[in-house]
Amino acid sequence: MENQFGLVYKDALKENVAGKVNIRTVAYEANGVKASANVYTPANYIEDGKDLYPAITVAHPNGGVKEQVAGLFAQKLAENGYIAVAADAAYQGASDGLPRNTDNPAYRTEDIRAMADFLESFPGVDNNRIGALGICGGGGYTIEAAKTDKRLKAIATISMFNSGRVRRNGFHDSQLDSIQDRLQDAAQARTKEKRGDEVEYIGELYTKPVILSEEQLSKIPAGLYRDGMIYYGNTHFHPNSTGRYTKSSLINLMAFDAEDHVDLIDQPLLMMAGSDADTRYMTDAVYKKATGTDDKELFLLDGASHIDTYWKEPYVTQETEKLVSFFGEKL
C-alpha cells in the first residue's frame, strides 16, 4: 500500500485511525514563504479537549525532508504522548521559495522558530513545555535557534552536523586552503542568479531511486557520504529530497558556525551521536563549548555511524527511549 502521506520510513502511518497517533499536513508562513509541515498528535488526542500536551519541533537533515528521519522521530514522540511537528525547510521539500534548495542558515534557524510559533497556536499544546529536536544539519540549526529562543525549554540533537564549519573548512577541515576561492565562486554564482541566468548547484538532484553497484559505491568515501547516498538515493528515497544546494548559499553558510556563542544555551541539552560516526567531531566540539548549561549529556550510540542513527536498530529504539526520558524529565 502506497503511503498516502508520502512517508518513507519503516512503520510509518498509512492512514489516520481514531484513538491512535494521527498525522495532518499543515501550512503556515516561515521566512516569508509558505512552509509545509506534518503534525503528529498522540493517541486519543482531542482538538477541542481540555488536555495539554508537551510539544517538540523536529528539524530535518541537510538534503532531507519531513517524510524521512524527521518524520520517524516525530511519530515516535507522538507515540509517547507528545505533539510533534516536522516541517520542510523554506526553499526546500514541499515548502515554497525560489531558488529551490537554498540553504541559508538564517532561514533554517527561522524555520525552527516558526515551528515553535505554530505549536504555540496549535490546540492542546502546553506552551510552557515546548522542546526541540534537530537531526544532522537540522541539529546544528536547532543549536543556533536554542541560543536565543528561550521558548525552547529542552534541546536534543541526533548526529549534529555543523553546516557552516563543513562548507567553510571542508569535511574534517580538509579545505582550509581554498576558502577564498570558493567564496569568489559563490559570489559569481549569486551575480548570475540575480541576472536571471541558470542557478548553479553543488551536489546532485535525484528524481528517482538510484541503486549504485558495489564498484560505484567504492568510489564514494566510506562513511557519511557513501551511507547517505544509499539512504537518500535508495532505501529512503523521496522525490522532494535532494543532496544539492545553491552555490550562492555558501555566501551565508561559510560565515555561520554552530559553535559560535553556544554558551548562550542555558537549557537542558542532550546530544546523541554514533560512536563510530565520522561526523562525531562536530557534536563533540559543540558539546564542549556549551558551557552555559550544567544540565547536559553526550549520549553515544555504540558502533553507529552517522546515517545508522537515522533508521537502523537497535539505534532508533535507543534514541527514542533516551528522547522520551529526556523530554519527560526536562519538560
Side-chain angles (χ1 to χ4, degrees):
M1 175 182 175
E2 185 175 342
N3 192 293
Q4 65 171 304
F5 307 114
L7 307 173
V8 295
Y9 53 87
K10 184 180 179 182
D11 297 328
L13 301 175
K14 293 184 177 179
E15 60 181 344
N16 283 331
V17 177
K20 295 187 177 182
V21 169
N22 279 196
I23 182 174
R24 66 181 78 179
T25 297
V26 298
Y28 53 85
E29 184 175 303
N31 292 293
V33 301
K34 185 176 73 173
S36 177
N38 287 333
V39 181
Y40 294 75
T41 53
N44 299 311
Y45 166 82
I46 301 173
E47 186 165 333
D48 57 357
K50 296 181 179 180
D51 292 337
L52 292 179
Y53 298 83
I56 311 294
T57 65
V58 184
H60 64 69
N62 294 340
V65 287
K66 63 185 181 298
E67 292 85 1
Q68 296 165 322
V69 61
L72 169 64
F73 282 101
Q75 182 175 325
K76 295 290 187 183
L77 287 164
E79 289 169 355
N80 285 277
Y82 295 83
I83 294 173
V85 57
D88 284 333
Y91 298 80
Q92 300 176 29
S95 293
D96 288 349
L98 295 172
R100 300 305 297 162
N101 306 121
T102 296
D103 190 10
N104 185 322
Y107 296 169
R108 288 293 311 263
T109 304
E110 181 63 19
D111 288 328
I112 295 159
R113 298 188 188 111
M115 280 192 276
D117 295 341
F118 172 81
L119 287 174
E120 284 189 316
S121 63
F122 190 79
V125 169
D126 184 341
N127 291 348
N128 293 313
R129 292 192 292 163
I130 296 176
L133 168 63
I135 304 158
C136 183
Y141 296 128
T142 295
I143 290 291
E144 184 69 12
K147 294 173 187 176
T148 55
D149 195 335
K150 302 306 177 178
R151 295 175 301 172
L152 306 174
K153 304 299 186 184
I155 314 304
T157 65
I158 296 173
S159 298
M160 194 220 73
F161 189 90
N162 186 349
S163 301
R165 178 175 174 175
V166 173
R167 303 309 182 218
R168 179 178 61 254
N169 297 348
F171 197 45
H172 284 275
D173 302 326
S174 60
Q175 294 179 281
L176 294 171
D177 59 350
S178 64
I179 290 174
Q180 294 301 329
D181 289 340
R182 287 182 285 117
L183 280 172
Q184 289 285 353
D185 201 22
Q188 292 172 9
R190 180 181 171 106
T191 296
K192 292 178 182 177
E193 279 181 22
K194 297 306 177 183
R195 288 175 178 169
D197 295 342
E198 185 175 353
V199 177
E200 292 188 60
Y201 287 95
I202 297 173
E204 299 292 333
L205 173 64
Y206 298 106
T207 58
K208 59 183 180 180
V210 178
I211 302 176
L212 299 181
S213 67
E214 289 299 321
E215 181 180 358
Q216 290 171 313
L217 287 172
S218 69
K219 296 177 181 178
I220 303 173
L224 171 66
Y225 294 110
R226 186 186 299 177
D227 293 348
M229 179 65 244
I230 296 170
Y231 180 88
Y232 288 112
N234 184 9
T235 61
H236 294 73
F237 171 81
H238 192 282
N240 288 344
S241 176
T242 173
R244 72 176 185 172
Y245 57 95
T246 62
K247 185 180 288 186
S248 62
S249 295
L250 289 175
I251 288 177
N252 298 301
L253 281 165
M254 290 173 72
F256 169 75
D257 199 318
E259 295 176 32
D260 292 344
H261 305 297
V262 74
D263 58 304
L264 287 173
I265 293 178
D266 63 351
Q267 304 97 308
L269 176 65
L270 169 66
M271 302 191 75
M272 296 188 282
S275 65
D276 296 353
D278 51 6
T279 56
R280 179 182 154 185
Y281 72 99
M282 290 180 256
T283 289
D284 290 340
V286 166
Y287 184 82
K288 181 179 180 180
K289 292 182 179 180
T291 57
T293 179
D294 293 326
D295 190 354
K296 64 178 184 176
E297 180 181 358
L298 175 62
F299 183 74
L300 297 178
L301 297 140
D302 188 36
S305 70
H306 182 102
I307 298 293
D308 286 348
T309 65
Y310 288 17
W311 67 289
K312 289 188 177 180
E313 291 293 359
Y315 309 121
V316 170
T317 294
Q318 292 171 0
E319 291 161 302
T320 300
E321 290 175 350
K322 195 68 180 177
L323 288 169
V324 171
S325 172
F326 172 73
F327 284 129
E329 179 182 347
K330 308 306 178 182
L331 293 180

